[in-house]
Amino acid sequence: MRLGVAAAIVDGSLIAGDIEVEDGRVKAVGLSARAGGAIAVPGFVDVHTHGFGGVDFSSAGEIDLERASVALAETGVTRFQPTLPTLAPNEMQRAVERHASAKYPGAKFGGSHLEGPFLSPLY
């Protein structure tokens, strides 16, 4: 399948031409360009997000996390780290467990990002 782009960024360089994708993988780049001026770029990684698509990652359940994963992928994010603010230790543990056990059909889970008492060795 051709993407129909005018160019792609590959290893930091702009390569003119279309991209062919097969079975979810890039098969060829720099093919004769089709109409359109879009530029394909690598997927984005969001390493700090407290929520997305109406989902708060502190309290999100499995269905909410799936929905956020799909919404993030629609914006070009391919991997993300749900971020948790300072919470009571038991709340933080439950949230991390929910994050780890959820299925992510869109953007993939890159581990939970914990804020708060983990910023200081005194706490």
Side-chain angles (χ1 to χ4, degrees), residues 6-8 14-18 29-31 33:
L14 184 65
I15 307 295
D18 202 359
V29 297
L31 304 173

Side-chain angles (χ1 to χ4, degrees), residues 35-123:
I39 297 174
V41 299
F44 299 110
V45 178
D46 191 337
V47 297
H48 189 125
T49 178
H50 290 273
F52 196 84
V55 175
D56 178 347
F57 293 142
S58 297
S59 59
E62 185 172 346
I63 292 171
D64 296 324
L65 291 165
E66 289 177 15
R67 190 173 78 240
S69 162
V70 170
L72 281 160
E74 290 171 351
T75 69
V77 173
T78 57
R79 182 168 296 274
F80 72 110
Q81 289 184 286
T83 301
L84 298 174
T86 302
L87 299 169
N90 61 336
E91 290 178 55
M92 192 168 281
Q93 180 175 349
R94 284 195 306 269
V96 167
E97 289 169 354
R98 287 192 306 270
H99 294 174
S101 66
K103 295 174 180 59
Y104 296 92
K108 302 306 176 199
F109 175 66
S112 298
H113 175 191
L114 310 180
E115 292 183 336
F118 303 100
L119 300 176
S120 169
L122 299 175
Y123 300 101

Side-chain angles (χ1 to χ4, degrees), residues 16-37:
D18 202 359
I19 296 176
E20 186 173 351
V21 177
E22 187 176 291
D23 295 324
R25 296 193 178 270
V26 174
K27 184 176 177 184
V29 297
L31 304 173
S32 59
R34 294 190 177 176

